[in-house]
Amino acid sequence: MRARLVTAFTALATLCMICFAVGIANELATSRTRGLVIDRVQDASRFGVLAATTPTNLCEEAQNYRDSTSNGVLILGADGTVLCSLGMDFADPRVRSAARERHWLEMPRPLYPWNTEPLLVAQPIGTPPQSGGVVVIDVSTSQTRTDILVRWTQLACVTATALLLVSGLALLVSGWILRPVSGLLREVDALTSTLPVHHGPPRRQAPMSEGPPEILQLAAGVESVTRAVAALAAAERRHVVDTAHSLRNPLAALAVRLQALQPMLAEDQAAATFVSVVSEVDRLTELLDGLLTAAVADAEQDKQVRPAAAGCDAAAVAADRVGAWHDAYVRADITLSFESLVTTAETCMPSSALAQILDVALSNSARYAGAGASTTVTVDREAESVVVTIADTGAGVSPEEIDLLTTRFFRGAQATTGGSGLGLPIAATLAAQHDGLLFVESAQPHGLVVTVSLPAVADPADLTFG
């Protein structure tokens, strides 16, 4: 792939530089040709002045000019007599035409090193129509063509050097660009070689068929890894669900047998052991229920298309759950209060899901806040979101544990017995399913704050019509 990329970069740079070089070379040839013609016109004008003022020195000056420039010179008088002829044949039709016209300025095509066509320049002696003759110069172009060839050679060397520099730069840049791609391709190849073969249909309807082979190989490897990860995640959820279902039945049977055994136990040390066994069975049952709920929540979150569900008034749901938990908080000696800063707080989340999230937060607060604490449930509207806050003044958790509270099976160091560590992770998953967000932070000076932010339904009273 690197060779193809370097070749493409170099070919593009070569094409651009050749176009620039050809344009510069043509302009150089045109400029040199124009300068040559202008210089020879000035020479012809100078001989015209000499012919009109000092004709005696005319041939001597023409011979010196011929020796120094190798240009032919023909000077005709007003009556057509030849005043001076050096290196030119008056019988040449082009020369006779130039002499007849008395003003011959033939701008040729740009001179190239291989162009050997003759170049004539003619200027009248005096001012037309009273001109008294004509000066014709046969311009030698060899020196100009040699100079053009030298400049073209220099231009070619500069262009070739620039192309070498561009090729080296393209080699370095392509290596820099493709180094992470090559590393990623090796990692993906190594990973795909360890994946199990899945025969399910591909997620993409039409696989990519155009592009560099390495990128196509990388895309295919990433797709294989994605499909394998999705399959493994689904298998993990199925395993959790199947395991939880399989364990619930034996636990239920064990609980029934323990209840039947309780009347047969005397009030001694065995009775205390029996109570602890029953509490552990209840805890295992609660743990399995949490696993089932978490697995179902994750499965719902992974669905690409979720059926639309009716929203709810978050303020009404929060008030209802506060009322339902009032007696439990009284027994725990915790003050529970509710405050709604808005009349209604319509959100897209169904009431059952929001009630489940609130139950998790209120249950944790009642269990861990401690006697004498207070818990406040607040509902507010912020921009396009409905925010429900459950804040308590309990002992809280350490800063190191805040980010771990939404991790499955995590329980704080100060947590009492009971609980599975699945409540807040399930609540966070439920919030994410409905495009919401749940986060936990410490309260000041102590305590814990659970905040749920959910998309709000537009209030018709806020709409304005122009």
Side-chain angles (χ1 to χ4, degrees):
M1 182 175 178
R2 185 178 184 181
R4 288 192 295 272
L5 192 59
V6 171
T7 301
F9 284 164
T10 304
L12 181 60
T14 301
L15 180 62
C16 294
M17 289 187 179
I18 288 177
C19 292
F20 281 122
V22 169
I24 293 174
N26 185 72
E27 183 60 29
L28 179 63
T30 302
S31 175
R32 292 289 178 179
T33 303
R34 187 183 300 112
L36 176 65
V37 172
I38 292 175
D39 290 342
R40 299 296 82 82
V41 168
Q42 292 177 350
D43 293 340
S45 298
R46 182 170 64 86
F47 282 118
V49 173
L50 289 176
T53 57
T54 55
T56 56
N57 298 329
L58 185 61
C59 290
E60 182 180 357
E61 291 292 335
Q63 184 63 48
N64 294 335
Y65 178 76
R66 167 73 175 173
D67 294 339
S68 61
T69 63
S70 301
N71 294 333
V73 180
L74 174 65
I75 303 176
L76 301 178
D79 55 357
T81 60
V82 177
L83 301 180
C84 183
S85 177
L86 298 173
M88 294 187 66
D89 185 7
F90 186 66
D92 188 342
R94 295 180 73 252
V95 176
R96 297 179 68 87
S97 177
R100 184 173 57 255
E101 294 293 336
R102 293 180 179 270
H103 191 286
W104 184 272
L105 180 57
E106 182 182 3
M107 293 300 294
R109 294 177 298 174
L111 289 174
Y112 299 127
W114 57 84
N115 188 353
T116 59
E117 295 179 1
L119 176 62
L120 293 179
V121 172
Q123 285 290 99
I125 300 175
T127 303
Q130 291 84 20
S131 57
V134 64
V135 178
V136 182
I137 296 179
D138 184 7
V139 182
S140 174
T141 61
S142 60
Q143 182 63 36
T144 302
R145 288 185 286 111
T146 301
D147 184 55
I148 291 174
L149 179 60
V150 171
R151 296 303 178 90
W152 279 14
T153 303
Q154 295 174 348
L155 180 62
C157 293
V158 171
T159 303
T161 303
L163 284 176
L164 289 177
L165 293 177
V166 170
S167 299
L169 183 61
L171 190 64
L172 294 177
V173 172
S174 62
W176 177 70
I177 292 175
L178 296 178
R179 190 174 296 113
V181 176
S182 301
L184 181 59
L185 183 59
R186 288 192 298 269
E187 295 294 334
V188 170
D189 287 341
L191 182 59
T192 52
S193 63
T194 63
L195 295 178
V197 178
H198 295 281
H199 300 285
R203 292 187 175 185
R204 191 169 47 246
Q205 296 297 328
M208 291 185 296
S209 58
E210 298 181 357
E214 292 82 359
I215 299 299
L216 294 178
Q217 181 182 357
L218 179 60
V222 171
E223 182 184 8
S224 299
V225 172
T226 302
R227 293 174 58 191
V229 169
L232 291 174
E236 178 187 2
R237 286 193 296 271
R238 288 195 302 269
H239 177 70
V240 171
V241 173
D242 294 342
T243 302
H245 275 295
S246 299
L247 291 178
R248 286 188 69 191
N249 293 332
L251 278 177
L254 179 59
V256 171
R257 285 171 173 77
L258 288 175
Q259 290 175 2
L261 182 62
Q262 183 177 8
M264 305 177 186
L265 295 176
E267 294 294 334
D268 53 11
Q269 188 176 359
T273 304
F274 175 81
V275 172
S276 64
V277 171
V278 172
S279 64
E280 289 300 322
V281 171
D282 292 339
R283 183 176 179 275
L284 286 175
T285 303
E286 181 182 359
L287 179 61
L288 292 177
D289 290 338
L291 286 174
L292 282 172
T293 304
V296 172
D298 287 342
E300 290 294 329
Q301 186 179 14
D302 288 343
K303 291 182 179 178
Q304 298 296 325
V305 179
R306 187 172 58 245
C312 68
D313 181 2
V317 174
D320 176 71
R321 300 321 301 160
V322 167
W325 281 90
H326 181 267
D327 293 339
Y329 272 76
V330 170
R331 291 192 298 271
D333 193 19
I334 301 176
T335 303
L336 178 61
S337 60
F338 171 70
E339 182 180 4
S340 179
L341 303 181
V342 291
T343 305
T344 59
E346 295 292 336
T347 180
C348 300
M349 175 176 281
S351 59
S352 59
L354 180 56
Q356 187 173 354
I357 294 175
L358 292 175
D359 285 343
V360 169
L362 291 172
S363 174
N364 287 344
S365 180
R367 180 177 296 176
Y368 303 120
S374 63
T375 301
T376 303
V377 179
T378 305
V379 180
D380 196 5
R381 177 82 177 265
E382 295 180 2
E384 298 180 355
S385 299
V386 172
V387 179
V388 182
T389 304
I390 302 93
D392 64 57
T393 59
V397 297
S398 63
E400 294 79 10
E401 296 179 342
I402 284 292
D403 295 334
L404 300 176
L405 291 179
T406 54
T407 304
R408 292 181 180 178
F409 303 110
F410 176 79
R411 302 178 72 248
Q414 300 179 1
T416 59
T417 58
S420 61
L422 291 170
L424 286 176
I426 293 173
T429 302
L430 289 174
Q433 285 179 13
H434 299 86
D435 302 323
L437 178 65
L438 182 143
F439 52 93
V440 185
E441 55 190 349
S442 297
Q444 296 298 330
H446 52 80
L448 205 64
V449 180
V450 179
T451 303
V452 184
S453 179
L454 302 170
V457 176
D459 188 353
D462 295 337
L463 298 179
T464 58
F465 300 92

